[in-house]
Amino acid sequence: MDIDTTLAWVRGITAAIRRDADYLTRLDAAIGDADHGVNMQRGFSVVRSTLDGKEFSTVGEILTKTGTALASSVGGAAGPLYGMAFRAIGRQLTEPSATAEQLLAALRAGLEAVQKLGAARPGDKTMIDAFGPAVEAFEKALRGGAALGASASAAADAAEAGMRATIPMIARKGRASYLGPRSQGHQDPGATSTALIFRALAEAVAP
Ligand code: ADP
Ligand code: MG
Ligand code: MG
C-alpha cells in the first residue's frame, strides 16, 4: 500500500459515506439520534479539504491527518473513536509504502485504540463488531498465504458479516444502550460505517 493507494482509500471512504449517508442516518434514527450519516459526511468533507492539494511522504501521515480531521469534526461518539483509530493506524506506518504485514499491525492498533477509548466488547453492538472480525479475517487470510488484495477483501467480507450480526444484538454501549432490549432487530450504524471503511480499503488495494 503506497501513498496513492492510501489517498484512494480515503477518497473511497468519502464517496461511500456520501452515497450511504441517508442510510446511516436512518439506521441511527432507529436506535440513536439520527445523525450518524450527517456526522460522518461532515467529517469526511473536512478530511477531504485537509488532504486536498497536499504532498505526503509517508502513508501514515495521510491517515493521522485523517484521524485528526475526524476527531475535530465528526462529533458524537463516532468522532473521537474513528479519530483515535485512524491516528493509531497512521502512527504505525512511517514509510512511503506499507506491506500487508505492516497494514495488519496498524489495523490491529486502530482496533485496540477504539477498544481502549470506548471500552466496548465484542457483542455490545458497536463498530467493534465489524472492526474486530475484519482484523481477524485479514490476519487469517495473510497467514494462509493470501496477498494484500485478497486479505483486504476477506476483511471487508468479515466486516459486512459482523455488521449484519449486530442486528439481533442488544446494545450495551453508546446511545443505543438506552433502549436496552428495544435495540434488538436493528443494525448498528457504526458497524455499518466500519464495513464501508473496510470495503473501501479492499477496493483501493485491489490488484
Ligand atoms: P452519537 O451516538 O453520539 O450520536 P454517532 O451516531 O455518530 O454518535 O455514532 C454512533 C455509533 O458509535 C454507534 O452506532 C456505535 O457503533 C458507535 N459507538 C458508540 N459508543 C461506542 C463505544 N463505546 N465503543 C465503540 N463504538 C461505539
Ligand atoms: Mg448518533
Ligand atoms: Mg449524536
Side-chain angles (χ1 to χ4, degrees):
M1 188 167 83
D2 61 13
I3 295 205
D4 284 345
T5 319
T6 308
L7 288 170
W9 179 24
V10 177
R11 270 199 304 276
I13 302 170
T14 308
I17 296 285
R18 193 182 310 123
R19 183 194 65 216
D20 287 353
D22 288 348
Y23 171 53
L24 294 173
T25 289
R26 274 200 308 279
L27 292 173
D28 197 31
I31 55 170
D33 57 353
D35 64 0
H36 190 59
V38 178
N39 289 347
M40 294 297 284
Q41 217 181 346
R42 184 176 54 244
F44 276 93
S45 77
V46 173
V47 168
R48 195 204 183 115
S49 50
T50 305
L51 300 184
D52 256 7
K54 303 256 177 16
E55 298 276 337
F56 300 96
S57 51
T58 71
V59 166
E61 219 184 315
I62 299 166
L63 299 171
T64 48
K65 284 209 163 64
T66 295
T68 303
L70 292 176
S72 70
S73 64
V74 174
L81 292 165
Y82 279 132
M84 286 296 278
F86 277 95
R87 283 203 295 244
I89 294 168
R91 263 199 301 275
Q92 303 270 322
L93 305 173
T94 55
E95 290 164 40
S97 73
T99 64
E101 203 61 57
Q102 288 168 334
L103 180 59
L104 169 64
L107 291 171
R108 191 169 284 293
L111 172 63
E112 282 165 6
V114 172
Q115 283 175 308
K116 193 167 173 202
L117 180 65
R121 296 165 41 156
D124 284 352
K125 198 180 181 100
T126 71
M127 59 176 72
I128 288 293
D129 293 308
F131 207 149
V135 173
E136 292 313 315
F138 193 109
E139 175 156 35
K140 189 164 172 239
L142 204 57
R143 297 287 170 260
L148 173 60
S151 302
S153 174
D157 292 346
E160 285 161 10
M163 163 193 96
R164 285 188 295 272
T166 63
I167 296 173
M169 290 175 187
I170 296 175
R172 288 196 210 85
K173 281 281 181 275
R175 273 174 197 284
S177 66
Y178 308 158
L179 294 179
R182 279 184 295 135
S183 62
Q184 254 181 331
H186 301 281
Q187 185 170 299
D188 180 62
T192 308
S193 54
T194 294
L196 294 179
I197 290 168
F198 277 94
R199 182 57 63 194
L201 175 62
E203 285 168 359
V205 302

